[in-house]
């Protein structure tokens, strides 16, 4: 009994995605081309993500700041690789009020420029280092094609920017933050991710190297889900960030940056949701439990209120649906909105001393005695749901991960049942471009500490250097 | 023993303000003209403000959303009074990448336009109403003269936007939100405020009327600190927000908006701080207690750690300063940063079974037995500090509030010892303009439910209509 407003994901995945976004009221297009509105249900998920991540950032010594949203052109130009990367896709402010600006400014597509310029004024000695800052904001990239959460002109994100006195310290930060992202995805979003290094072609413009977490959607398409960049001294040389080191010599500092965005909401949808709507893992769901009275019997209402109070007093988020809609309608609404657990309390069940608990992910229903310790029961069930959702995604990923030795195999897979393809690569960009001819297949990441699976590059047949995961992408 | 980096506030208030902002590392100017950077200590205060206010908004049924930061010109033009109000001071985006846009867009100076356009798609029936939304974001106004927190091109704020099915409901919301602001200022910021209605001249462009909270700074200058606007049907007519009412007739909806901003940080500084730096009320201080060991005696360190653990376990935010700086330096640093309570733990005091507690606001020091229940002691002290700070500001406001009956009196006051001037007004804008000739004195608000203090307008001598509070302003 699937939701009628939602196309089946096995019939038309793209339409299914749009239908889920609309049916769960997560976001809608505005009259500003290519820009979305995060509606209350979508923003509540973003707030949960912010809350959990922000705690992890602060526990590891990061501090929040806010930078201006505009970047003057001359400042942007200082880092030439960066501007080449972003120039085609920024919004330019040329007028202030009715006056033409002497110098145009772009709306930040990212803030390496502003942070570097700021760090240059702050950093004098190795004693000042490291500086580990983060900001929550929106950024703007002038994309041509857009899809809610996955790609829109404006999107919401966090960008961490740090500056260190040694290469070792900065490289450690780059790795540590990638691991925080991995932990966040696995523990809260119930999404397993691959981690590795981007190829030169796919790395962030201006970085020495980029580490990435890559997730696989239900339809086998890859999603770059978070990145952590090591800059070495590139920005510190362009922006003159120098400090007196322990030997009392001036040295350019070492930097990193890292970010995840509202795109994660798209990943949540495409990994877990189904033809009935959104499915949210309990650890990230803004509301974890829906309590639905059946009938308005006073015994029912009393137990509904008691259950609600017990849950919220024990830090389980819940709501009671006391509207005058039918129970069936309320069930469907809780389902489409992805509420992980539903408690149905009705007079007939109560006569037998029972209430009904439904889990959103599997649609299973359990009848339990109403004298059960409901808080404990729900918490255990939520742990189970969280774990099961992660494992289900993991098993699917494994079933969609392939080892290939010939291009024809890749072609066969990407055209029929795409996923992560492991294959050896010579390190040459030409071979990446050849691979791209297969439905836009790109390198996701270079796997580290993995045994080679062949000694030849899958494309050119020359000596292989790296084991790479490939995939088609959003 | 005032901080040497800080000019005395009684000698040069403007320089003192800048010095405090710098010495406490709250904000700094960026290389983007007129835009500031919120540094970690400043941003932490903003985060506390967000946390407390957000809770109050959610408890009263408001939901957070995010709107685009850009507004197409045609959308902005729909509400002509609004555009006349903001047109001179917006930033215009005219290029996307390397292409000229067909229609220019401005960076939001405020978002009535976007919310109204969105509401028009959402509102069909009285059953859909009210919609009570809020967003936390930054906005941009092309100001010519800027001062950190008080006026900068970009600033951080929240803007609430609500839509209702009746005038009564919308007017109630307008008042309720003003009261939430008043409560927040008094309970958390320890800043007493006046509330009232703005005159036609001073109201928000496009509003039927504007309610305001007005605070008085140490130097007697007024600060408009938060506003709540009742729009009636102005926007709903311009943006076609119609709903089927209970009589099944199409009716234009009733709207409100309300906002407070990072300007509140400026108010905190100018009401409470002193020549030693920042003074923060405990209820808004990101860190409430500084624990400073004197010497590195193991007995000292043990008690320092024990004290820290006890405090944080009981939801008091604290830090231990274990750097190798001198105790005197650490004391001064805690002072300049406005930490409400300082605990000094040293070997000599411990021999006598004592620790020292210093409060930031009065600089008083107390020696207390170290077996005191430190958590309870600190919590009570913080309550006392919070209360005393509020009362001190309140008494100062009262001493700087005057009743005037002649223009010469106003002139005398504003030139020598400015403050809030209560005076009767005929309701005529010309009289407001006359008043403005006195050092820029403006009406702060019309007091409601107050007895008239005269029957003639203080400016023209004609029949008085309103009791108005006047002041010079930031």
């Amino acid at each position: 009994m699937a939701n009628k407003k939602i196309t089946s994901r096995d019939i038309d995945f793209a339409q299914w995605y749009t239908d889920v976004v609309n049916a769960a009221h997560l976001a809608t297009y505005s009259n500003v081309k290519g820009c979305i509105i995060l509606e209350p249900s979508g923003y509540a998920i973003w707030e949960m993500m912010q809350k959990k991540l922000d705690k992890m950032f602060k526990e590891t010594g990061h501090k929040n700041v806010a930078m201006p949203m505009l970047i003057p052109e001359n400042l942007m130009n200082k880092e030439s690789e960066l501007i080449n990367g972003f120039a085609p896709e920024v919004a330019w402010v040329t007028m202030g009020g009715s006056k033409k600006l002497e110098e145009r400014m772009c709306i930040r597509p990212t803030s390496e420029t502003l942070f570097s310029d700021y760090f240059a004024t702050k950093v004098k000695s190795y004693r000042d280092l490291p500086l580990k800052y983060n900001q929550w904001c929106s950024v703007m990239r002038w994309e041509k094609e857009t899809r809610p959460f996955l790609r829109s002109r404006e999107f919401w994100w966090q960008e961490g920017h740090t500056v260190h006195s040694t290469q070792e310290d900065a490289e450690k930060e780059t790795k540590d933050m990638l691991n925080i992202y991995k932990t966040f995805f696995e523990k809260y979003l119930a999404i397993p991710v691959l981690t590795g290094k981007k190829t030169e072609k796919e790395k962030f413009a201006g970085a020495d190297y980029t580490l990435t977490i890559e997730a696989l959607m239900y339809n086998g398409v890859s999603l770059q889900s978070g990145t952590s960049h090591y800059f070495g001294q590139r920005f510190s040389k362009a922006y003159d960030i120098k400090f007196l080191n322990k030997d009392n010599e001036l040295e350019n500092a070492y930097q990193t940056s890292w970010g995840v965005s509202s795109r994660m909401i798209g990943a949540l949808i495409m990994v877990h949701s189904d033809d009935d709507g959104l499915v949210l893992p309990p650890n990230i769901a803004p509301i974890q439990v829906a309590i639905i009275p059946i009938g308005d019997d006073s015994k029912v209402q009393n137990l509904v209120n008691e259950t609600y109070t017990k849950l919220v007093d024990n830090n389980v988020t819940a709501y009671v649906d006391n509207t005058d809609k039918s129970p069936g309608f309320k069930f469907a609404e809780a389902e489409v909105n992805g509420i992980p657990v539903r408690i149905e309390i009705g007079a007939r069940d109560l006569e037998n001393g029972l209430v009904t608990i439904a889990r959103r992910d599997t649609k299973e229903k359990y009848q339990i005695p109403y004298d059960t310790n409901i808080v404990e029961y729900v918490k255990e069930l939520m742990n189970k749901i969280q774990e099961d959702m992660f494992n289900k995604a993991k098993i699917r990923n494994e079933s969609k991960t392939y080892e290939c030795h010939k291009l024809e195999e890749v072609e066969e897979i990407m055209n029929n049942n795409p996923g992560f393809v492991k294959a050896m690569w010579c390190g040459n960009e030409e071979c990446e471009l050849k691979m791209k001819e297969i439905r836009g297949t790109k390198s996701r990441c270079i796997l580290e500490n993995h045994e080679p699976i062949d000694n030849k590059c899958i494309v050119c047949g020359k000596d292989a250097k790296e084991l790479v995961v490939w995939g088609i992408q959003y």
Side-chain angles (χ1 to χ4, degrees), chain A:
Chain A
M1 197 189 67
N3 190 303
K4 282 176 193 161
K5 288 184 188 163
I6 301 175
T7 308
S8 167
R9 63 179 162 169
D10 292 317
I11 290 171
D12 182 345
F13 193 79
Q15 188 58 48
W16 166 82
Y17 179 78
T18 305
D19 290 348
V20 171
V21 169
N22 291 333
H25 302 293
L26 299 178
T28 187
Y29 273 108
S30 68
N31 275 321
V32 188
K33 207 186 155 199
C35 291
I36 60 169
I37 293 166
L38 289 189
E39 298 189 277
S41 302
Y43 198 82
I45 298 174
W46 180 234
E47 279 184 309
M48 282 295 288
M49 291 173 166
Q50 289 186 294
K51 192 175 152 187
K52 306 293 184 191
L53 281 167
D54 198 70
K55 189 157 179 275
M56 293 168 96
F57 298 158
K58 283 183 176 149
E59 282 169 357
T60 47
H62 300 88
K63 290 175 179 177
N64 286 335
V65 298
M67 287 283 156
M69 67 158 86
L70 295 179
I71 310 175
E73 190 166 19
N74 82 77
L75 216 57
M76 192 78 178
N77 283 342
K78 273 197 190 174
E79 221 299 318
S80 60
E81 286 193 9
L82 185 67
I83 185 71
N84 288 339
F86 283 109
E89 48 173 60
V90 295
W92 288 106
V93 173
T94 61
M95 306 269 296
S98 53
K99 278 192 189 155
K100 193 166 178 258
L101 299 185
E102 281 175 29
E103 182 187 16
R104 64 181 187 166
M105 303 194 231
C106 71
I107 299 177
R108 62 181 161 219
T110 177
S111 306
E112 276 72 14
T113 291
L114 292 170
F115 274 93
S116 294
D117 192 51
Y118 172 63
F119 287 146
T121 69
K122 283 279 153 182
V123 173
K124 313 272 183 225
S125 149
Y126 71 93
R127 289 174 203 272
D128 302 329
L129 297 173
L131 292 177
K132 306 208 295 183
Y133 291 164
N134 176 61
Q135 85 171 341
W136 294 97
C137 63
S138 70
V139 293
M140 175 92 39
R141 296 178 188 176
W142 217 250
E143 306 280 0
K144 283 190 193 88
E145 291 190 30
T146 62
R147 305 189 67 181
F149 301 121
L150 300 181
R151 197 172 291 278
S152 58
R153 285 186 174 171
E154 183 178 9
F155 59 90
W156 291 266
W157 80 346
Q158 61 68 219
E159 45 179 328
H161 295 268
T162 68
V163 51
H164 305 260
S165 60
T166 66
Q167 173 173 349
E168 292 69 33
D169 196 35
E171 291 204 88
K172 181 174 182 305
E173 170 82 4
T174 314
K175 275 206 198 78
D176 287 349
M177 297 322 293
L178 193 79
N179 285 331
I180 281 184
Y181 290 155
K182 182 179 160 72
T183 302
F184 174 73
F185 266 70
E186 301 193 342
K187 184 170 163 193
Y188 292 102
L189 307 187
I191 298 178
V193 292
L194 277 183
T195 60
K197 194 182 273 192
K198 285 284 183 191
T199 62
E200 279 298 301
K201 183 176 173 301
E202 298 297 328
K203 74 175 188 185
F204 176 71
D208 265 19
Y209 61 79
T210 291
L211 305 180
T212 182
I213 55 172
E214 300 281 329
L216 197 64
M217 305 298 103
Y218 175 81
N219 63 346
V221 176
S222 308
L223 189 74
Q224 177 180 307
S225 301
T227 47
S228 183
H229 314 293
Y230 173 65
F231 291 132
Q233 297 175 312
R234 288 182 186 219
F235 281 87
S236 73
K237 283 179 178 164
Y239 290 87
D240 204 25
I241 309 171
K242 282 186 179 143
F243 67 98
L244 273 178
N245 63 22
K246 286 185 183 173
D247 302 326
N248 216 27
E249 288 160 349
L250 271 180
E251 186 175 349
N252 279 106
Y254 303 83
Q255 288 170 268
T256 83
S257 83
W258 29 274
V260 288
S261 76
S262 43
R263 160 173 271 208
M264 292 188 292
I265 300 173
L268 268 184
I269 298 169
M270 291 194 292
V271 171
H272 299 304
S273 297
D274 63 21
D275 291 353
D276 295 303
L278 197 61
V279 182
L280 290 174
N283 289 355
I284 206 72
I287 299 176
Q288 296 168 312
V289 178
I291 305 170
I292 297 177
I294 302 170
D296 52 6
D297 185 292
S298 72
K299 229 173 133 187
V300 167
Q301 279 302 334
N302 287 344
L303 191 62
V304 161
N305 294 338
E306 189 186 312
T307 305
Y308 174 79
T309 306
K310 272 190 198 163
L311 289 172
V312 296
D313 284 352
N314 286 281
N315 300 315
V316 177
T317 49
Y319 75 96
V320 175
D321 190 342
N322 264 329
T323 58
D324 53 9
K325 297 162 191 164
S326 73
F329 190 95
K330 292 177 186 180
F331 297 169
E333 205 161 63
E335 270 175 9
V336 80
N337 291 327
I339 314 295
V341 174
R342 187 173 77 232
I343 304 178
E344 307 167 4
I345 300 178
R348 204 187 308 165
D349 279 354
L350 275 192
E351 277 171 25
N352 301 316
L354 298 172
V355 297
T356 299
I357 312 262
R359 53 189 278 188
R360 173 63 184 91
D361 62 330
T362 59
K363 316 290 282 296
E364 285 168 284
K365 282 192 174 203
Y366 315 101
Q367 285 202 312
I368 62 165
Y370 76 74
D371 51 5
T372 302
N373 181 338
I374 193 77
V375 173
E376 204 178 302
Y377 185 90
V378 166
K379 283 193 171 179
E380 272 173 27
L381 180 61
M382 292 201 300
N383 285 341
K384 177 99 172 76
I385 294 173
Q386 185 78 27
E387 202 180 313
D388 287 355
M389 286 179 71
F390 177 77
N391 286 332
K392 190 174 167 191
K394 193 160 177 246
I395 288 164
R396 185 172 61 225
N397 281 13
E398 282 161 7
S399 77
K400 289 179 183 287
T401 300
Y402 313 88
E403 287 191 0
C404 292
H405 301 268
K406 290 179 188 164
L407 269 191
E408 301 80 60
E409 293 166 4
V410 181
E411 211 160 337
E412 165 72 18
I413 288 166
M414 293 306 177
N415 285 322
N416 298 307
N417 191 7
F420 284 145
V421 163
K422 291 181 183 174
M424 299 305 295
W425 174 56
C426 62
N428 200 320
E429 192 175 314
E430 275 171 38
C431 292
E432 280 184 276
L433 290 170
K434 259 266 155 50
M435 195 70 109
K436 208 178 156 188
E437 291 170 12
I438 304 171
R439 242 188 125 186
T441 297
K442 285 189 178 181
S443 61
R444 311 309 321 152
C445 59
I446 299 165
L447 294 180
E448 289 178 325
N449 307 318
H450 280 71
E451 289 296 308
I453 60 168
D454 202 331
N455 56 6
K456 302 290 177 204
C457 171
I458 190 170
V459 184
C460 66
K462 291 183 187 152
D463 285 352
K465 281 192 188 139
E466 313 277 12
L467 175 57
V468 167
V469 177
W470 309 81
I472 55 177
Q473 71 172 32
Y474 279 107

